[in-house]
Amino acid sequence: MSKFKILFFLFLPFLIMAQNEKLPAERLKQDLTIFKEIREKANSGLYKYRTKQQIDSIYSWAFSQIEKPATLLEFYKIILKITDFEGSVHNDTTLPDEFQNKFSLGNVFFPYPVKLIEGKLVINFQNSEIPLGSEIHSVNKIKVNKLIKDFYKYYTTDGYNISGKYIGLTSSFGKYFEMEYGPQKSFLVEYSLLNSSKKLTKIVSAVSNDIRKENFKNRFSLPIDSLQFNKAKNKYSFKIISKNTALLSVHTFSIGKNAKAKEHLAYKKYLDSCFQYLGKNNQINNLIVDVRNNGGGSDPNDILTFSYLTQKPYRENASAYVSFQEIPFADYFVYDETEPQKKLEEKNDFETDLKEEFPKLENGKYNQDEKFNQLLQPDTNNFNGQIYLLISPRIASAGSLFASLVTGNTNAIIIGEETMGGYFGHNGHTPVEYELPNTKIKTKFSIVNLDQDVPKKANQIFGRGIIPDHEVKQTLEDFLQNKDTQFEYTLKLIESK
């Protein structure tokens, strides 16, 4: 036991030195140049929300930041700002695994989970130091508004969406603080108690990453928001909640990888039975569809579910395209296989699939063949009553595609908060990953630029998530009672009609 401790403390200084080591500017510039060229060649969504002038401008800024040697972490933050600026929920840029593991050492993390309620950052954990529900005003003299904005780059969303970033803030506040401001031994927290404007201060000790994670698992809001951050044991459910109202909850679309998967076929059978029951029961004329925890998944689970809610033909996409058929900068491409021959086979298979689905080059775009985006028909057991769709900032990817189709093409009343996934479209379906040669930073993005088959609506804004008809957020009072504000609002709305 004591021998292990000696080895640990001898090893720790080496880790700190490596973490603070500065890399030559020329090597960083080379990686940044490769990063820029990869995204120009491979990322079809590069100019979806930003003009070429705006993209060029942020790269000019980035190059100006590395005129001198910089640490890997300093360079990483520059890359993060660029990937966040592009505006795609599928963008994901990560540090090398070995470097990332260094952040798990020692007691350096903020101890308590937090949550944004009514625009206030509040303590989301029962403890003896700072009472539950207390509003945080600053940490280590850094104002909360600055903290939140500094953390935006760590969690990407579609377009200009901000609400989705609060999902990352809620789950990873301690991790983001350590990444942004460095390891801390303690935290000076300025806060105020419930129903008080008086500001108090408290010094709280930093904790290990394991304790940070454990505290998050035991956060106060767990009964309400658990499914936003964890895999649901029951991915979907259906129940009758009153004589005239049913509830369909779909917490994920990761229900089998394709139309032939056993899990998908079981889901289809389940939906058939649910909607056959609704068709036979004429009294049930209200259906609440709850997808607030749905961060996405696989086709065709999203469009299958939609087929039971619509009365008219539809397509998954209005249009879709990629910007290449042959992998650009293949030397930096991250393959699943490691053997050279298997890498080549993987590359050839990937490119063959692209050429089949996106065969034609028109105006610099390889457009999707119509056979991959056929006109689909409503299910014969489709629901004809009033739909109430519950949405939240957690919804993205296939979840937001489904919610967009329901919002744009049915009679649904949309209740909740703006989604992080876009209403009009996103980049999705096919993820690729590259590794930069010098820093070994990995960057992942999806290459299919798609416009969803939805109409323009007065309350839906390009570059934003799906905007609800009734914006309903949890109040501080409801937070303290762990009330499902949006669900209770929906039941009252149904009763009033």
Side-chain angles (χ1 to χ4, degrees), residues 316-353:
E316 180 176 7
N317 310 314
S319 65
Y321 70 88
V322 298
S323 55
F324 67 89
Q325 288 181 327
E326 297 181 357
I327 297 173
F329 299 96
D331 290 345
Y332 309 119
F333 193 83
V334 177
Y335 297 91
D336 292 331
E337 302 291 347
T338 56
E339 296 177 20
Q341 183 57 39
K342 288 187 176 180
K343 276 186 180 181
L344 182 60
E345 290 175 6
E346 181 183 337
K347 179 178 182 292
N348 291 338
D349 289 345
F350 182 79
E351 292 175 346
T352 297
D353 289 344

Side-chain angles (χ1 to χ4, degrees), residues 125-143:
F125 189 77
Q126 294 274 19
N127 68 93
S128 60
E129 294 184 305
I130 304 176
L132 174 73
S134 295
E135 179 185 358
I136 299 175
H137 299 285
S138 69
V139 181
N140 289 354
K141 297 185 178 181
I142 306 168
K143 297 294 184 184

Side-chain angles (χ1 to χ4, degrees), residues 29-45:
K29 286 181 180 179
Q30 182 185 22
D31 272 14
L32 183 56
T33 299
I34 291 169
F35 181 86
K36 182 175 185 286
E37 290 176 349
I38 285 171
R39 300 187 96 80
E40 287 174 340
K41 292 285 187 182
N43 186 1
S44 61

Side-chain angles (χ1 to χ4, degrees), residues 161-201:
N161 171 266
I162 298 299
S163 66
K165 294 181 180 294
Y166 301 150
I167 298 295
L169 180 76
T170 297
S171 63
S172 304
F173 181 85
K175 183 180 177 182
Y176 292 171
F177 197 103
E178 197 275 344
M179 187 80 72
E180 185 68 17
Y181 304 113
Q184 312 288 319
K185 292 182 180 179
S186 61
F187 300 88
L188 174 63
V189 183
E190 183 183 50
Y191 67 99
S192 57
L193 299 174
L194 282 167
N195 303 316
S196 173
S197 59
K198 182 181 178 181
K199 292 184 178 179
L200 308 171
T201 58

Side-chain angles (χ1 to χ4, degrees), residues 273-388:
S273 65
C274 295
F275 283 89
Q276 282 176 18
Y277 177 84
L278 289 176
K280 293 175 182 177
N281 192 327
N282 295 327
Q283 283 188 306
I284 301 175
N285 49 24
N286 299 299
L287 176 63
I288 301 171
V289 180
D290 187 356
V291 289
R292 286 176 293 173
N293 302 300
N294 198 315
S298 306
D299 284 340
N301 298 299
D302 47 2
I303 54 176
L304 167 68
T305 312
F306 178 67
S307 71
Y308 291 91
L309 304 177
T310 184
Q311 281 76 50
K312 58 184 180 181
Y314 64 99
R315 297 181 190 275
E316 180 176 7
N317 310 314
S319 65
Y321 70 88
V322 298
S323 55
F324 67 89
Q325 288 181 327
E326 297 181 357
I327 297 173
F329 299 96
D331 290 345
Y332 309 119
F333 193 83
V334 177
Y335 297 91
D336 292 331
E337 302 291 347
T338 56
E339 296 177 20
Q341 183 57 39
K342 288 187 176 180
K343 276 186 180 181
L344 182 60
E345 290 175 6
E346 181 183 337
K347 179 178 182 292
N348 291 338
D349 289 345
F350 182 79
E351 292 175 346
T352 297
D353 289 344
L354 279 183
K355 289 171 183 176
E356 181 183 3
E357 184 170 354
F358 303 93
K360 294 180 181 179
L361 179 63
E362 298 175 8
N363 300 318
K365 303 173 182 178
Y366 292 95
N367 292 306
Q368 187 179 46
D369 190 287
E370 191 171 319
K371 69 181 179 181
F372 291 92
N373 187 36
Q374 295 180 2
L375 187 67
L376 303 171
Q377 300 296 324
D379 192 272
T380 53
N381 294 310
N382 63 331
F383 182 70
N384 292 302
Q386 179 61 59
I387 300 166
Y388 296 84

